[in-house]
Amino acid sequence: MTEPAYIELRSRSAFSFLAAASLPEDLIAHAASLGYPAVALGDHEGVYGAPRFHQAAKKAGLRALVGATVTGDDLLLLASDAAGYQNLCQLITASKLRAAKGESRVEWRDLEEHSDGLICLARPIDRSDPTQTDLAAIRTLQRLFPGRLYLELQRHFDAQEERLNRRLIDAAGACRLPLVATNDVRHACADARRLLDILTCIGTKTTLDAAGRRLLANAERHLKPPPEMAHLFRDLPEAIANTRRIAEQCQFTLENLGYRFPEYPLPAGMSADAFLRQLTEQGARQRYGKVLSQRVRRQLEHELTIIGKLELAGYFLIVWDIVRYCREQGILAQGRGSAANSAVCYSLGITAVDAVGMELLFERFLSEERGEWPDIDIDLPSGDQREKVIQYVYQRYGERGAAMTANVITYRTRSAVREVGKALGFRLDQVDRLSKLLSRFEFRDDLDDLQKQLKAGGVDPRAPRVRMLVDLVQQIQGLPRHLGQHSGGMVVAAG
């Protein structure tokens, strides 16, 4: 079998937060069923869904391309190599830092500084007339993305959209630019359109009855079979062929991402392994006495050898440095979990458990065979003392080298019932009653029990809007709602 000519390059997952209705795994599963060899995820101003998209694609035997939309939906940027992925992340970071929380502002200078390694799919629209293209923007993009700019066409049986397509085709001819087709996928299958409508209502704080043109006109923005897309653009075969050309140019996936520890400042002429060994030996003499027993020496040598083989000395130095700072500042810091199985962690003062004396198995913490990174959790006091440590990490690694970990807040039954109920137009007192009735109910359970529960609470389970509520709450549970901030988790990286 020959692989299809069409590759979907513009799809969004629920990690676009209320602007798309399918999880990354659902997009990949449907793409695999349609015979796609590769598919791209370009969530709105973020790459939050990319790891799950990548993992699902790996299991399904697909290649997951990475990108994001910026400046509204005008520009889709796809990473062709590792430098492109870094530039994409830096561009998004810069745009978020200069705007209010939940907003972003991409400027031309951002694109100029961070365009390398990125392929740009553009639909520059004149804001004063949505049927006209912004020729000045096209010319600027052509300069910023030489040989890497494509004008993007979409067809969803919409007359205004087709008028814009004609303008884009004319602009492509005038500027000698290639065209590319996409379907602007917002949900895996067509039947998820109703859920997307509800998410749109939640995001725009309106009801289904009042949403009007804020809702999409039809359910065409789902992942379609490649032959159907080829037929849809049968008058522009080059726009279909270019999807494959772009996919072949995008060699980067998260498999190539790698990770590099920040450059920990080392004494002159010393490697990270040598410095870690020196610190471990000094700490071991404080813990075990000046003369180390053969048993202690043997265990430390065993652990340091494995740490060296796995190139993890930098990780241990970073954790040691944080604990050292806490100790100097009089801040209580205690490592816990499987790290207590390590004599090196004990010697460095990271944990308080003598792994040798208690005959603990180091391999429960770190093993060559398991291929997993070590996990050292450090308990810190809440409040000002924890904040002091967080600020130290920022100072140590720079504001672009360290960041607070984000929590993904997902829909649970109560929040789902409340938000879906409002979008469906239920009165607030009805929403309150429904959320109380359904908050403890597991939707995996027998729906007959649910109907009995609703009847007992004075709600008619056969009413169309109640049935719609139950159905939509089932679908929305587990979808990302928004991002929150972890109380103490931090990401530290180089590059």
Side-chain angles (χ1 to χ4, degrees), residues 56-238:
K58 194 174 176 181
K59 289 178 184 174
L62 275 66
R63 204 157 58 87
L65 312 182
V66 186
T69 62
V70 296
T71 67
D73 292 330
D74 289 0
L75 305 182
L76 169 63
L77 302 177
L78 297 172
S80 63
D81 55 27
Y85 180 76
Q86 288 183 328
N87 274 321
L88 180 63
C89 292
Q90 289 174 21
L91 190 153
I92 292 169
T93 299
S95 71
K96 297 280 188 187
L97 284 176
R98 73 163 60 95
K101 184 179 179 182
E103 299 175 5
S104 65
R105 193 171 76 248
V106 175
E107 297 180 353
W108 285 118
R109 61 188 168 100
D110 298 325
L111 293 169
E112 191 156 15
E113 290 172 14
H114 302 295
S115 64
D116 287 351
L118 291 171
I119 295 173
C120 179
L121 278 58
R123 289 170 60 80
I125 301 169
D126 187 332
R127 298 301 178 193
S128 61
D129 182 356
T131 65
Q132 298 292 331
T133 55
D134 187 337
L135 279 173
I138 291 173
R139 293 290 189 191
T140 303
L141 290 169
Q142 195 171 18
R143 177 177 60 82
L144 298 178
F145 297 91
R148 294 174 283 122
L149 174 66
Y150 293 77
L151 296 188
E152 181 186 352
L153 306 177
Q154 299 173 6
R155 282 181 170 164
H156 303 108
F157 306 108
D158 180 284
Q160 181 171 300
E161 182 183 66
E162 196 55 38
R163 283 194 290 274
L164 175 61
N165 283 340
R166 301 316 306 175
R167 300 284 187 274
L168 288 166
I169 292 168
D170 292 343
C175 300
R176 297 185 179 180
L177 287 169
L179 296 165
V180 65
T182 76
N183 199 43
D184 188 24
V185 171
R186 310 286 183 93
H187 41 91
C189 303
D191 59 7
R193 183 267 174 97
R194 189 170 63 171
L195 176 60
L196 178 62
D197 286 349
I198 289 296
L199 293 172
T200 301
C201 291
I202 293 170
T204 55
K205 295 182 171 57
T206 188
T207 65
L208 203 56
D209 294 327
R213 291 175 182 254
R214 281 173 280 199
L215 304 180
L216 296 174
N218 54 41
E220 291 298 315
R221 285 176 170 82
H222 63 275
L223 201 55
K224 294 178 178 176
E228 185 177 334
M229 290 299 296
H231 181 73
L232 195 59
F233 287 90
R234 58 193 178 277
D235 57 324
L236 294 164
E238 71 275 17

Side-chain angles (χ1 to χ4, degrees), residues 339-353:
N341 291 49
S342 168
V344 167
C345 286
Y346 179 61
S347 299
L348 293 174
I350 294 170
T351 61
V353 177

Side-chain angles (χ1 to χ4, degrees), residues 456-483:
V459 176
D460 182 2
R462 297 168 300 174
R465 290 219 176 196
V466 173
R467 287 189 358 235
M468 190 183 295
L469 172 78
V470 171
D471 182 42
L472 288 165
V473 167
Q474 283 181 279
Q475 294 179 49
I476 203 175
Q477 283 191 102
L479 260 59
R481 172 60 176 85
H482 60 272
L483 291 179

